[in-house]
């Protein structure tokens, strides 16, 4: 199903197929995109290969806002896979590590900042295998980056959001039932702390030491 199909299906579910509509196309499109992002955060991520330039003398780069989980990082020049560590690990084991230069062998992530160790002494390229939230569906022909079998379940989120709108003429009682349906299909939403742990440590607990 593409965006147009999903919007039409949402209108049928809402019994809102005759103009003037109770819910605008813009609102429905926004909620469909929210549903795609929510489904993604609950486990149906988009796998992407990201290319990041390595600049000699610069150890830190900012990850794109769409990145949820970094699976592995590969250095283009020699094909090596960088090892994930933490800043605390480097502080404890690598004296004056911030000033060390060479070919990067390790990395750590804090916030959305990716730092290489040692600091690169030559230009290079990183290939990052990452799990990301999906791009917005910006045209009627665009399709969610989910298996087709999940597309109709996205409508549960649209129903939930439509029911939250306060309108005398257009109401949807008990919208929480649709959120519960969505959660049953896609799982509970991870907390902000868990999402940050996934990004920084590669798991919801702690980094591999």
């Amino acid at each position: 199903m593409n965006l147009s199909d999903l919007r039409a299906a949402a209108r049928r579910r809402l019994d809102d197929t005759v103009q003037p509509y109770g819910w605008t196309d813009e609102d429905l499109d926004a909620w469909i995109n929210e549903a795609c992002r929510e489904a993604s955060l609950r486990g149906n991520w988009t796998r992407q290969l990201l290319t990041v330039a390595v600049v000699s003398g610069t150890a830190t780069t900012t990850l794109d806002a769409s990145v949820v989980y970094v699976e592995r990082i590969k250095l283009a020049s020699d094909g090596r896979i960088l090892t994930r560590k933490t800043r605390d690990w480097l502080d404890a084991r690598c004296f004056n590590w911030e000033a060390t230069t060479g070919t990067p062998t390790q990395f750590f992530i804090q916030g959305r900042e990716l730092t290489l160790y040692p600091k690169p002494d030559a230009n290079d390229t990183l290939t990052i295998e990452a799990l990301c939230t999906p791009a917005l569906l910006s045209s009627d022909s665009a399709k969610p980056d989910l298996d087709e079998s999940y597309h109709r379940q996205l409508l549960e989120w649209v129903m939930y959001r439509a029911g939250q709108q306060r309108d005398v003429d257009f109401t949807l009682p008990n919208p929480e039932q649709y959120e519960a349906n969505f959660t049953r299909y896609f799982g509970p939403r991870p907390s902000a702390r868990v999402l940050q742990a996934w990004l920084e440590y590669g798991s919801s607990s702690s980094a591999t030491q």
Side-chain angles (χ1 to χ4, degrees), residues 1-69:
M1 299 176 75
N2 58 31
L3 179 58
S4 178
D5 297 331
L6 287 166
R7 188 170 58 245
R11 289 207 176 282
R12 290 192 294 271
R13 286 282 303 272
L14 291 165
D15 193 20
D16 187 34
T17 58
V18 177
Q19 296 191 36
Y21 295 136
W23 291 273
T24 66
D25 284 352
E26 291 76 15
D27 280 344
L28 294 182
D29 289 353
W31 296 334
I32 291 167
N33 273 300
E34 278 185 17
C36 292
R37 177 177 171 81
E38 284 294 320
S40 172
L41 289 175
R42 295 163 194 240
N44 293 274
W45 297 307
T46 299
R47 180 169 273 101
Q48 292 186 13
L49 283 179
L50 308 175
T51 300
V52 174
V54 173
V55 178
S56 178
T58 301
T60 299
T61 187
T62 302
L63 292 169
D64 188 84
S66 66
V67 175
V68 175
Y69 186 100

Side-chain angles (χ1 to χ4, degrees), residues 25 54 60 62 70 92 100 105 120 126 134-135 142 147 161 172 185 198 207:
D25 284 352
V54 173
T60 299
T62 302
V70 172
T100 304
T105 58
L126 299 177
D147 188 274
R161 295 288 280 119
L172 195 64
Y185 290 128
W198 285 345

Side-chain angles (χ1 to χ4, degrees), residues 17-189:
T17 58
V18 177
Q19 296 191 36
Y21 295 136
W23 291 273
T24 66
D25 284 352
E26 291 76 15
D27 280 344
L28 294 182
D29 289 353
W31 296 334
I32 291 167
N33 273 300
E34 278 185 17
C36 292
R37 177 177 171 81
E38 284 294 320
S40 172
L41 289 175
R42 295 163 194 240
N44 293 274
W45 297 307
T46 299
R47 180 169 273 101
Q48 292 186 13
L49 283 179
L50 308 175
T51 300
V52 174
V54 173
V55 178
S56 178
T58 301
T60 299
T61 187
T62 302
L63 292 169
D64 188 84
S66 66
V67 175
V68 175
Y69 186 100
V70 172
E71 290 190 312
R72 73 173 190 163
I73 299 178
K74 185 176 182 179
L75 197 63
S77 59
D78 60 8
R80 76 178 62 195
I81 305 301
L82 304 189
T83 304
R84 184 195 297 268
K85 296 297 182 182
T86 67
R87 182 171 186 157
D88 288 344
W89 189 95
L90 289 170
D91 285 343
R93 293 168 175 80
C94 303
F95 174 73
N96 199 25
W97 63 266
E98 293 99 331
T100 304
T101 61
T103 300
T105 58
Q106 299 169 337
F107 74 95
F108 68 86
I109 298 172
Q110 280 194 320
R112 304 207 70 82
E113 300 296 311
L114 167 68
T115 299
L116 303 175
Y117 170 78
K119 183 185 297 184
D121 59 2
N123 293 340
D124 211 322
T125 303
L126 299 177
T127 300
I128 301 177
E129 296 182 19
L131 300 174
C132 303
T133 53
L136 290 176
L137 305 179
S138 56
S139 69
D140 278 355
S141 60
K143 293 184 177 182
D145 192 10
L146 293 168
D147 188 274
E148 188 84 22
S149 62
Y150 291 122
H151 286 189
R152 285 197 177 276
Q153 279 69 54
L154 296 171
L155 298 180
E156 300 300 324
W157 186 265
V158 179
M159 299 290 287
Y160 163 61
R161 295 288 280 119
Q164 289 183 311
Q165 274 202 338
R166 303 296 182 187
D167 190 288
V168 174
D169 299 315
F170 296 91
T171 59
L172 195 64
N174 191 20
E176 290 75 17
Q177 64 181 308
Y178 303 106
E179 182 188 25
N181 290 341
F182 187 88
T183 298
R184 187 167 66 251
Y185 290 128
F186 295 107
R189 194 185 201 279

